Amino acid sequence: MSHEIYKNQDFYAAAVDIWALGVILFIMLTGIPPVETPAEIDPRFRMLAEGRLSELMDLWRVDFLTPEAR
């Protein structure tokens, strides 16, 4: 679920679809959902929102992906 839908805000459907595809791809590659809750209360969501995906993957020891997949 995207942040906008979670917060019951207006949203641009294409952007929400792209978010969903990214989440699905992340789960397919790592086996782990990137966030528990799409809100600022979730530390993982905050890391993603701040552009710290690589740091998050390092914390989870996701070292089995190629640099291209990462």
Side-chain angles (χ1 to χ4, degrees):
M1 178 182 307
S2 75
H3 179 68
E4 295 84 1
I5 292 175
Y6 180 78
K7 293 189 81 170
N8 199 25
Q9 297 175 337
D10 290 337
F11 60 91
Y12 181 59
V16 169
D17 289 346
I18 291 169
W19 169 268
L21 288 171
V23 170
I24 291 167
L25 180 59
F26 188 91
I27 294 170
M28 289 174 62
L29 290 172
T30 66
I32 308 164
V35 298
E36 183 70 31
T37 305
E40 290 82 8
I41 60 170
D42 185 341
R44 297 183 297 179
F45 178 82
R46 283 196 313 270
M47 289 181 81
L48 287 177
E50 295 168 359
R52 297 168 48 204
L53 177 60
S54 288
E55 184 181 342
L56 181 63
M57 293 175 74
D58 290 341
L59 289 171
W60 288 347
R61 300 184 194 272
V62 178
D63 54 2
F64 48 85
L65 296 177
T66 64
E68 295 82 12
R70 252 185 125 153

